[in-house]
Amino acid sequence: METELIIEKAKKYIEQIFSDDCSGHDYYHTMRVYRLAVQLAEQEKADKRIVQLAALLHDVDDVKLSPETHEQKTNAVKFMKNNGLDESVIRFVCKIIDEVSFAGTDSVTPDTIEGKCVQDADRLDALGAIIIA
């Protein structure tokens, strides 16, 4: 399936997933992370498709929002499988999602440029929320 179509479907999927969310891990947060991560990916010459998918799906299985799907990344995996993505892409995106999570001193530094783009975008968005608050 064409990348642009999958990305559009992912945007609609996250809008549906986060339609009732008030935690700050909502559609708007995800879209801000997505836009920033794509900018970083372009600057860093990262795999844009991987960054797009990981940024869009990074919170669909967040432990605070969906503890029952968190461990296996059930929502993210189901979306990617339903859209015909290769197992290698699914594993890569899920690895990035695992690395993005911020857990105080237990944070992981991603070992790929794609993971770093998404993690940096997520943290920059969180910083913006803190500054505004």
Side-chain angles (χ1 to χ4, degrees), residues 4-125:
E4 287 180 29
L5 181 58
I6 292 172
I7 299 307
E8 287 308 309
K9 284 184 171 189
K11 289 176 184 177
K12 286 183 171 82
Y13 179 66
I14 62 162
E15 189 170 18
Q16 174 192 343
I17 289 270
F18 296 123
S19 63
D20 296 326
D21 186 80
C22 302
S23 72
H25 287 80
D26 60 8
Y27 172 77
Y28 301 102
H29 160 74
T30 301
M31 290 307 296
R32 288 189 305 268
V33 170
Y34 167 77
R35 286 188 294 272
L36 186 52
V38 168
Q39 285 180 325
L40 293 170
E42 288 169 352
Q43 290 173 0
E44 299 298 326
K45 308 222 182 328
D47 184 324
K48 188 174 167 185
R49 180 176 74 145
I50 295 293
V51 170
Q52 289 175 301
L53 287 166
L56 288 168
L57 299 173
H58 82 279
D59 276 339
V60 298
D61 294 294
D62 186 276
V63 70
K64 296 176 287 300
L65 309 173
S66 189
E68 65 282 354
T69 68
H70 172 70
E71 192 69 32
Q72 300 299 316
K73 309 290 176 271
T74 307
N75 293 325
V77 170
K78 183 178 177 182
F79 173 82
M80 290 185 281
K81 282 186 177 184
N82 286 347
N83 285 282
L85 292 166
D86 294 338
E87 197 62 39
S88 62
V89 170
I90 294 171
R91 278 193 306 274
F92 194 1
V93 169
C94 286
K95 180 179 184 297
I96 291 170
I97 292 170
D98 275 335
E99 294 171 342
V100 167
S101 299
F102 180 71
T105 58
D106 293 337
S107 295
V108 175
T109 300
D111 59 3
T112 64
I113 193 65
E114 291 78 13
K116 289 175 183 174
C117 289
V118 178
Q119 187 182 66
D120 286 354
D122 188 48
R123 290 186 177 176
L124 286 167
D125 187 65

